[in-house]
Amino acid sequence: MEFSEHIKTVNVEDVVLRQPLHPPSRGTLCITGHHLLFSDREEGSCRQVLLLLRNIDAIEKRISGSSGTITIKCKDLLVLQLDIPGMEQCLNIARSIETLSCLDSVTEMYPFFYRPSDVHLPDQWGLSSPEKHYSQMRELHDRWRLSTVNRDYLVCPSYPPAVIVPKNIDDDMLEKVAKFRQGGRFPVLCYYHRKNGTVIMRSSQPLTGANRKRCREDEQLLQAAIEGSDKGYIIDTRSSQQALQARMTGGGFESKTCYSSWKRLNRQMERGKALQESLIKLVEACGDEYQNMDRWLSKLENSKWLSHVQTALSTAGLLAECVERDGHSVLVYGSEGRDSTLLISTLAQLIMDPNCRTLEGFLALLEREWVQAGHPFQQRCAHSAYSHARLQQESPVFLLLLDCVWQLWRQFPLALGFSEALLLRLATEAYASNYGTFLCNSHQERCVLGLKENTHCLFQALLRPKERDCYSNPLYEPTELAIWPSVHPQSLQLWRGFFLRWTPQARHLEEAQEEIRNMVIEWGNLALS
Amino acid sequence: MASPVSVYNSNALDTHISSTSRESLKMELLADVSLLPGEERIIDKETMYICPFNGAVKGKVLITNYRLYFKSSDADVMLDVPLGAISRVEKMGGASSRGENSYGLDITCKDMRNLRFALKQEGHSRRDIFELLFKFAFPLSHGLPLFAYVTQEKYAENGWAIYKPVEEFRRQGLPNNKWRITFINKNYELCDTYPTVLAVPFKSKEEDLRRVAAFRSRGRIPVLSWIHRENQAVICRCSQPLVGMSGKRNKDDERYLDMIREANDTTKLTIYDARPSVNAVANKATGGGYEGDEYQNAELVFLDIQNIHVMRESLKKLKDIVYPNVEESHWLSSLESTHWLEHVKLVLSGAIQVADKVSSGNSVVIHCSDGWDRTAQLSSLAMLMLDSHYRTLRGFQVLIEKEWISFGHKFASRIGHGDKNHADQDRSPIFVQFIDCVWQMTKQFPTAFEFNERLLLTILDHLYSCCFGTFLYNCESMRDQQEVRLKTVSLWSLVNSKMDMYLNPFYTPESGRVLYPVASMRHLELWVTYYIRWNPRIRQQQSPVEQRYKELLALRDEYLKKLEALELSGSSPSSRLANTPNNPASSTPPQQYTQLQTPL
């Protein structure tokens, strides 16, 4: 496809840009295949504003007389307004934005064109991989092995080529287990708890169906995972009712008789559409600046966003408790095992494992547990809270994760090695990015499109010296202890830094945080010198 | 998954419990309580503390003339409550009550908690402890002195010296050719609830002041609280005019307000009436009212802040949803229904309007009914926004001494120090609400205040404790009569003798800056570390940071020393205290939405 087909008007002079935190300015608007560029022509200033078209979630156009106004609502919650002289020009621009902001083909997206002059495409892509993860944990090698049964993505299309499984379960058995689990997502290890040798595994639901099918290999795999221990826990992120119902559609859960050593715990977590609607309600309430403010807290409550945060943190807490306090291994899944499963396994690792709390450790964790484990970013993050498009697979699970991490960060301001700015950056990048990291839905898709050869890696970029300074927590003090979050509603806060990001107040606080960071760094340097 | 906090989160007061080994504690639970000078043990008793979080805990309670102290037998649970914090003591259950722990004492506190103790039913075991507790918790109702008069702790600094009215006026640049200092009230004859030293328009004569006093409720005439150094706009405070049903006028009052306006050529003097307009109208029935059209060159703005009764009920509702159990399922809408944050918002936004008016060069007058509750909130918050001096540790003390203590906020009536009448209609958490507003500001401007949250908590603890004379009595004339400054210690003596506990390491002085907090509900937070601090399951966010504070302060000191050394050696790189980042542009990470350096 040629982008130029979709661009009827390239340049418009005399456009007025209105955006929060800045006075309106007049200048030239220019549209390219991937960007909106506005350059200010006021005397004495030459500000330019570059907006990735992918970041645009919805536009509204209003024509009055010979000119028009386009309101642009971005996925990072920024709202801009452009006053464009000339009706036709306005309509052309609007049409271009509509088409170019939701390109379907991944290889046409900006990451495939992004070529910063100072950086070459990396030889090595990413920070972590199951192979690397495995080789770093020697303690694991007695009882667990690295299997490449999925090297051609035939056993499980959404898994990476290599996964960690119990040593005495061979690849043939894995293939059988995969057939018994939805989407082929057989149980794999995602976390090894050094303190007591227990593990977290994740999978999708077993396909027991109404006839309560069994799979001996699946039973053996789980048994092998807890060899030498009397029991393990299965955390199912559905209610028992939902789990029962899942049988009707071919899914199900592990029966007590066949998995006698395993104890099931049900914790219902909202997913999919419900989560997306919650985000929409919340953003609506946040943006509702001039409406009656008396009901703000009720609106916040009605959006249910904070109760989703609460459920996620408390389920992750339960998981961590099983592992850290109770000393038993856990298998986690919901239905597909690509959303809430990843959410709570990630949070539980942050709670327990100090290695995940450094800047690198956290990014590596995200890479393993979200990117490689097959969270369908492309489907989930196709649209954000403003879009009028009919919802399909959108769901802000990753944003919910970032919010939960922010809550941890707020409750333990010294325990995490990264800053709020990192979480904000990730929240933006997941929806629209220069980097290839969050493109596609699985490792396989990325491999097919040659993502590693053709795009830059966000996680590596975030670790470059200049960025690292900005994204690390100057107050960081590593602790070996688990950080147990308080999940009472009184302890949870709206993530103002994100949801009210484009208000002067949030911006002001950001500046103050920046100031604090600079101060601490400066003092630190002097103390060293 | 809240982790049960093993150490019971007890009182934030600086009481000194020496760390003795558990073994010896078991032998004599109460042996290690270190008492303040003048503090005496009254009674101790085996008892059961009915902890709302950990269930019934067996231990020993000690009552002194200052505190109620409890330690559990295993020494895990400890309570240390100044008797001043108690508002009500009641007997729970009777001699024939059945059920476990149904017989004992039920204690309501002023600081957002209640305490229950169960005692043995046999032999009227609670009679003596009830009577003694009742007596010492409410000394004024029993002809006993407040504890502040009994104790005489020595501190390196005398906190009573922190505020000297004339010096504070001089700091503001007063007197000048528009404003004079008057001692007309030196014997409290003009107004018995005002301080002795007042600043009034230069042109006004003493007899004018007397005539104005006759037209203002309780003689609280408009006087200057603060003047803007550059534009000379002022904040004046007073009480309502005595307009009454008949709509009386007073030429002297009208002319006097016009003198305030004239002092810096304000075109229109703005009078902020803190009340809702309906209340202002209703006040006419009792002889009060508000300034009408006869006040030429003045405009009247109502700020819609509710009265002391509404605030009291609001905080009571808040207590109901946070103690002993925090509301779980509908927390936010329950919080909303207390209206507490909404009241905080109205007070803050009123103060913002005042500050904004003054910084744009217009003089203002603030009043409510008597001018000692809402008026004090508005003037002090506006001054905190306008004048960075009040944002320092010492400056904040001056602000409280000046706008609250010297101008007759009725601490004794609002708090009820040593008084058994817990249901008195004069009680109201107006000062707590002010401190809440200050806390909201410190949250929004984390680098603008020299003091930290701990100072605010300490102030609120000692608002009730009666350990210091600072918050005792309703006005200066009473304090003089009771010789508070001679016979008691100031809270600021304590604070200023261990200042580094109360310093904010991130403070960066910016003298000219006016702070405009956002008073939108979206940006206000419930002050969980104060209102829900007794609940060990709610994360106390403050503590880990605080441990780091001292370290950071040490780092900062080192930094300042090196900077000084560099300056001495003549190679001063910069004299700024790191308050401006080197290059603001470089600190913002590149995002999709970027200011480009080079065009495409």
Side-chain angles (χ1 to χ4, degrees):
Chain A
M1 186 186 80
E2 282 298 319
F3 298 125
S4 56
E5 285 172 23
H6 300 284
I7 303 175
K8 290 268 172 344
T9 298
V10 178
N11 266 312
V12 194
E13 299 286 341
D14 230 18
V15 172
V16 176
L17 169 72
R18 297 171 207 277
Q19 55 176 331
L21 313 170
H22 294 279
S25 55
R26 190 177 292 274
T28 308
L29 181 74
C30 172
I31 188 162
T32 71
H34 293 107
H35 290 100
L36 265 189
L37 174 66
F38 176 87
S39 16
D40 188 337
R41 287 287 160 80
E42 303 288 316
E43 204 146 313
S45 80
C46 56
R47 218 184 42 203
Q48 299 203 327
V49 175
L50 182 70
L51 182 70
L52 201 55
L53 289 170
R54 187 78 193 162
N55 188 8
I56 296 175
D57 205 26
I59 67 166
E60 286 154 24
K61 46 184 188 284
R62 219 177 44 238
I63 303 290
S64 60
S66 65
S67 73
T69 297
I70 300 179
T71 305
I72 295 177
K73 296 184 172 176
C74 297
K75 291 170 183 165
D76 63 1
L77 308 186
L78 175 67
V79 178
L80 299 173
Q81 194 186 307
L82 293 167
D83 298 340
I84 299 172
M87 186 177 80
E88 202 186 322
Q89 286 175 316
C90 179
L91 290 175
N92 284 343
I93 295 279
R95 214 170 296 130
S96 301
I97 293 175
E98 274 163 359
T99 320
L100 294 169
S101 65
C102 22
L103 298 173
D104 285 328
S105 158
V106 175
T107 49
E108 283 174 359
M109 291 178 190
Y110 188 59
F112 281 85
F113 298 83
Y114 177 60
R115 296 289 178 267
S117 52
D118 53 335
V119 203
H120 295 291
L121 282 170
D123 302 328
Q124 191 212 350
W125 211 87
L127 309 173
S128 182
S129 65
E131 291 90 336
K132 214 167 159 187
H133 194 206
Y134 182 76
S135 70
Q136 281 165 352
M137 292 189 294
R138 304 217 152 272
E139 306 94 320
L140 208 64
H141 296 189
D142 286 347
R143 293 187 39 219
W144 298 80
R145 70 186 182 94
L146 197 67
S147 164
T148 50
V149 67
N150 197 41
R151 60 190 163 272
D152 302 318
Y153 307 104
L154 294 172
V155 177
C156 172
S158 60
Y159 270 172
V163 288
I164 305 171
V165 294
K167 200 160 199 172
N168 49 7
I169 302 297
D170 60 34
D171 285 357
D172 292 343
M173 292 168 86
L174 291 178
E175 286 185 32
K176 291 193 179 115
V177 178
K179 293 208 174 72
F180 185 64
R181 295 273 169 179
Q182 187 181 359
R185 295 177 69 92
F186 54 90
V188 296
L189 177 137
C190 64
Y191 174 67
Y192 176 78
H193 196 51
R194 284 201 168 87
K195 280 182 209 155
N196 57 18
T198 55
V199 302
I200 301 177
M201 290 188 296
R202 49 176 162 70
S203 68
S204 60
Q205 63 176 341
L207 301 172
T208 57
N211 311 329
R212 309 189 188 183
K213 267 200 308 254
R214 289 179 64 173
C215 170
R216 303 278 171 192
E217 289 78 7
D218 192 75
E219 290 161 26
Q220 283 168 17
L221 192 158
L222 289 193
Q223 195 53 46
I226 51 166
E227 203 180 61
S229 161
D230 55 331
K231 69 171 174 186
Y233 289 103
I234 296 174
I235 294 181
D236 185 340
T237 64
R238 303 166 297 181
S239 65
S240 358
Q241 191 61 32
Q242 286 171 326
L244 274 169
Q245 278 166 359
R247 279 183 174 168
M248 297 303 126
T249 50
F253 54 89
E254 297 81 356
S255 71
K256 231 174 233 156
T257 45
C258 308
Y259 299 83
S260 54
S261 318
W262 291 83
K263 188 173 164 36
R264 290 171 37 80
L265 304 165
N266 291 86
R267 288 290 181 278
Q268 189 187 350
M269 291 176 70
E270 227 40 88
R271 62 197 79 224
K273 215 169 170 179
L275 219 50
Q276 180 72 13
E277 276 161 6
S278 168
L279 175 70
I280 292 172
K281 274 192 194 164
L282 174 61
V283 170
E284 208 173 80
C286 291
D288 180 10
E289 197 71 62
Y290 305 103
Q291 297 278 316
N292 184 2
M293 287 298 299
D294 301 345
R295 309 284 298 154
W296 159 247
L297 290 173
S298 298
K299 282 183 190 161
L300 185 57
E301 182 173 290
N302 288 339
S303 79
K304 296 216 179 81
W305 182 262
L306 283 172
S307 65
H308 299 320
V309 169
Q310 183 186 24
T311 311
L313 279 171
S314 69
T315 312
L318 174 74
L319 170 53
E321 240 178 329
C322 292
V323 172
E324 158 102 16
R325 291 221 177 108
D326 215 45
H328 288 100
S329 293
V330 186
L331 169 70
V332 200
Y333 67 79
S335 39
E336 262 193 286
R338 300 174 75 176
D339 295 296
S340 49
T341 303
L342 309 181
L343 176 58
I344 67 163
S345 79
T346 308
L347 288 173
Q349 293 181 52
L350 272 174
I351 291 171
M352 290 186 289
D353 185 3
N355 297 325
C356 297
R357 299 185 207 132
T358 62
L359 178 59
E360 287 96 332
F362 178 60
L363 294 175
L365 176 69
L366 291 182
E367 187 166 40
R368 284 197 307 273
E369 288 297 273
W370 290 79
V371 179
Q372 289 161 0
H375 176 66
F377 276 101
Q378 198 184 329
Q379 293 173 350
R380 300 290 182 260
C381 300
H383 284 288
S384 174
Y386 290 124
S387 173
H388 307 300
R390 202 169 59 87
L391 288 181
Q392 292 169 348
Q393 306 259 17
E394 287 83 357
S395 186
V397 193
F398 187 66
L399 186 61
L400 184 60
L401 169 84
L402 296 175
D403 194 330
C404 292
V405 176
W406 179 78
Q407 307 282 350
L408 277 176
W409 182 84
R410 205 185 138 267
Q411 291 187 17
F412 300 91
L414 312 179
L416 300 176
F418 47 87
S419 65
E420 181 177 12
L422 178 79
L423 300 174
L424 289 170
R425 174 85 187 261
L426 291 169
T428 307
E429 299 280 347
Y431 284 88
S433 177
N434 294 348
Y435 299 90
T437 301
F438 294 123
L439 292 181
C440 303
N441 295 308
S442 65
H443 203 279
Q444 184 185 16
E445 287 181 32
R446 280 179 209 108
C447 193
V448 170
L449 298 177
L451 210 88
K452 290 187 177 180
E453 294 77 36
N454 293 303
T455 71
H456 286 277
C457 169
L458 172 67
F459 295 147
Q460 285 173 330
L462 295 179
L463 290 175
R464 275 189 237 126
K466 206 173 128 192
E467 321 258 328
R468 181 191 289 265
D469 274 354
C470 161
Y471 294 125
S472 50
N473 176 4
L475 300 178
Y476 178 50
E477 253 186 0
T479 167
E480 285 298 312
L481 300 174
I483 48 172
W484 301 102
S486 162
V487 298
H488 291 265
Q490 293 74 16
S491 307
L492 302 177
Q493 287 282 338
L494 174 70
W495 185 14
R496 292 191 173 81
F498 180 74
F499 292 104
L500 301 174
R501 188 174 188 178
W502 305 104
T503 56
Q505 190 48 37
R507 189 42 59 94
H508 165 81
L509 262 181
E510 226 170 272
E511 277 162 23
Q513 293 298 341
E514 198 54 46
E515 211 171 292
I516 289 175
R517 147 191 317 285
N518 290 334
M519 256 186 253
V520 175
I521 292 172
E522 207 159 330
W523 302 339
N525 290 344
L526 261 135
L528 287 175
S529 68
Chain B
M1 285 301 108
S3 64
V5 178
S6 56
V7 183
Y8 183 68
N9 183 359
S10 184
N11 206 300
L13 289 174
D14 308 308
T15 40
H16 329 284
I17 311 302
S18 67
S19 56
T20 327
S21 78
R22 266 184 187 213
E23 284 312 301
S24 70
L25 285 172
K26 270 187 189 156
M27 287 192 298
E28 184 33 283
L29 267 182
L30 302 173
D32 64 326
V33 188
S34 77
L35 303 182
L36 297 171
E39 185 176 1
E40 279 166 20
R41 290 167 177 254
I42 305 293
I43 184 173
D44 60 55
K45 211 164 202 109
E46 296 282 339
T47 181
M48 194 77 98
Y49 166 53
I50 317 293
C51 173
F53 314 110
N54 303 335
V57 208
K58 222 174 144 164
K60 249 186 163 180
V61 67
L62 164 71
I63 310 286
T64 73
N65 51 351
Y66 172 64
R67 80 185 82 204
L68 180 157
Y69 184 89
F70 171 85
K71 198 173 236 175
S72 63
S73 313
D74 57 10
D76 274 351
V77 175
M78 193 195 80
L79 280 174
D80 190 353
V81 187
L83 298 184
I86 294 174
S87 73
R88 179 181 191 178
V89 183
E90 284 194 316
K91 291 174 183 161
M92 158 180 93
S96 58
S97 291
R98 279 148 197 270
E100 222 183 333
N101 303 328
S102 60
Y103 176 86
L105 300 178
D106 195 347
I107 299 168
T108 310
C109 296
K110 297 169 180 175
D111 59 356
M112 304 295 285
R113 60 178 157 170
N114 300 331
L115 307 169
R116 301 179 95 181
F117 293 97
L119 293 143
K120 289 197 196 78
Q121 245 149 326
E122 308 86 63
H124 305 289
S125 71
R126 73 180 169 198
R127 185 188 287 161
D128 48 353
I129 190 169
F130 172 79
E131 278 167 6
L132 288 166
L133 181 60
F134 197 77
K135 181 171 160 192
F136 285 96
F138 309 119
L140 293 187
S141 304
H142 293 90
L144 293 170
L146 290 165
F147 184 69
Y149 286 86
V150 179
T151 191
Q152 278 293 347
E153 186 110 42
K154 292 279 178 288
Y155 293 99
E157 188 179 315
N158 176 14
W160 292 122
I162 194 80
Y163 173 55
K164 299 204 177 72
V166 176
E167 253 173 48
E168 168 58 18
F169 280 131
R170 201 172 298 144
R171 185 190 70 85
Q172 294 188 19
L174 299 175
N176 61 18
N177 57 358
K178 301 287 185 191
W179 294 88
R180 64 187 181 89
I181 308 292
T182 170
F183 296 90
I184 186 173
N185 201 37
K186 67 174 187 290
N187 298 319
Y188 304 108
E189 279 160 355
L190 181 80
C191 171
D192 61 354
T193 59
Y194 261 10
T196 50
V197 184
L198 301 170
V200 296
F202 192 82
K203 282 201 205 157
S204 64
K205 302 202 175 60
E206 304 291 79
E207 55 269 34
D208 295 335
L209 302 180
R210 290 200 183 85
R211 282 194 290 263
V212 172
F215 189 62
R216 290 277 163 180
S217 176
R218 300 174 201 270
R220 294 174 68 92
I221 63 166
V223 293
L224 179 145
S225 274
W226 191 77
I227 184 162
H228 192 289
R229 267 200 182 265
E230 277 87 50
N231 64 33
Q232 297 288 300
V234 299
I235 299 177
C236 288
R237 57 181 292 173
C238 58
S239 60
Q240 63 182 341
L242 298 174
V243 176
M245 291 299 269
S246 55
K248 273 199 298 274
R249 286 181 62 172
N250 182 309
K251 290 274 187 213
D252 296 296
D253 193 70
E254 288 164 30
R255 203 167 42 206
Y256 182 77
L257 286 194
D258 210 46
M259 285 179 207
I260 294 174
R261 181 191 66 79
E262 272 173 10
N264 81 330
D265 293 324
T266 296
T267 39
K268 215 166 193 118
L269 180 72
T270 308
I271 303 168
Y272 287 104
D273 188 328
R275 303 167 290 185
S277 57
V278 267
N279 298 27
V281 173
N283 259 289
K284 284 189 175 178
T286 49
Y290 52 90
E291 293 81 357
D293 296 335
E294 65 276 14
Y295 289 81
Q296 286 164 10
N297 307 325
E299 57 172 351
L300 184 70
V301 177
F302 293 105
L303 293 176
D304 271 332
I305 301 168
Q306 299 292 337
N307 63 23
I308 58 166
H309 310 294
V310 175
M311 302 307 183
R312 181 180 58 236
E313 294 314 309
S314 174
L315 190 63
K316 202 174 272 173
K317 279 189 200 155
L318 181 61
K319 183 174 176 179
D320 287 343
I321 63 166
V322 299
Y323 195 94
N325 299 311
V326 285
E327 166 72 40
E328 288 278 346
S329 51
H330 293 286
W331 164 244
L332 291 171
S333 48
S334 309
L335 178 59
E336 184 170 85
S337 67
T338 68
H339 298 289
W340 181 254
L341 283 177
E342 210 178 305
H343 295 312
V344 167
K345 180 194 96 172
L346 281 168
V347 172
L348 268 176
S349 62
I352 291 169
Q353 289 181 55
V354 172
D356 186 46
K357 203 46 114 187
V358 171
S359 70
S360 59
N362 301 292
S363 291
V364 305
V365 172
I366 310 171
H367 68 72
C368 43
S369 299
D370 290 310
W372 50 43
D373 293 307
R374 288 167 277 198
T375 300
Q377 289 180 325
L378 290 168
S379 67
S380 55
L381 286 170
M383 287 157 73
L384 201 58
M385 292 170 196
L386 288 162
D387 190 339
S388 59
H389 175 65
Y390 299 124
R391 306 197 283 261
T392 63
L393 182 58
R394 285 171 183 273
F396 189 61
Q397 298 166 17
V398 171
L399 184 70
I400 291 176
E401 284 285 343
K402 176 172 153 63
E403 288 305 298
W404 289 86
I405 296 168
S406 87
F407 272 100
H409 172 67
K410 302 204 294 176
F411 282 103
S413 306
R414 298 290 174 257
I415 306 302
H417 296 126
D419 183 358
K420 65 178 182 180
N421 299 314
H422 59 83
D424 194 308
Q425 289 299 300
D426 253 352
R427 305 280 179 269
S428 188
I430 299 301
F431 187 74
V432 175
Q433 192 172 53
F434 159 71
I435 295 291
D436 191 333
C437 292
V438 175
W439 180 82
Q440 303 283 353
M441 286 179 67
T442 63
K443 280 308 243 190
Q444 296 194 17
F445 300 96
T447 60
F449 293 83
E450 191 188 22
F451 52 86
N452 59 21
E453 184 177 30
R454 190 185 186 116
L455 178 77
L456 302 180
L457 292 170
T458 303
I459 288 173
L460 289 186
D461 282 333
H462 289 296
L463 174 64
Y464 305 119
S465 76
C466 298
C467 189
F468 298 95
T470 302
F471 298 117
L472 301 183
Y473 302 106
N474 282 336
C475 55
E476 293 291 57
S477 57
M478 277 305 281
R479 270 174 220 117
D480 282 3
Q481 204 183 319
Q482 300 293 335
E483 299 175 291
V484 169
R485 288 189 172 86
L486 285 176
K487 293 183 171 169
T488 75
V489 176
S490 160
L491 170 59
W492 316 127
S493 303
L494 169 89
V495 169
N496 295 337
S497 60
K498 31 180 165 175
M499 273 170 103
D500 38 332
M501 277 177 69
Y502 303 107
L503 291 177
N504 168 15
F506 305 124
Y507 173 58
T508 54
E510 287 176 275
S511 56
R513 179 156 172 229
V514 182
L515 300 186
Y516 291 113
V518 176
S520 141
M521 287 294 283
R522 285 190 184 87
H523 293 277
L524 298 182
E525 264 176 50
L526 182 72
W527 187 9
V528 169
T529 37
Y530 180 67
Y531 299 112
I532 322 187
R533 67 175 157 160
W534 307 122
N535 191 324
R537 290 180 198 121
I538 306 293
R539 168 105 26 233
Q540 305 289 317
Q541 202 209 342
Q542 170 210 15
S543 49
V545 182
E546 203 177 314
Q547 289 162 7
R548 196 76 199 276
Y549 268 14
K550 284 198 175 150
E551 242 176 272
L552 291 171
L553 281 171
L555 269 180
R556 188 182 73 158
D557 287 350
E558 202 167 327
Y559 175 74
L560 289 176
K561 253 183 238 152
K562 289 200 175 160
L563 212 58
E564 217 169 284
L566 279 174
E567 270 165 17
L568 283 178
S569 69
S571 62
S572 156
S574 62
S575 57
R576 72 196 161 80
L577 198 142
N579 55 355
T580 44
N582 286 338
N583 176 5
S586 72
S587 62
T588 18
Q591 287 178 354
Q592 273 63 52
Y593 187 75
T594 330
Q595 325 288 44
L596 279 194
Q597 265 95 39
T598 47
L600 277 185

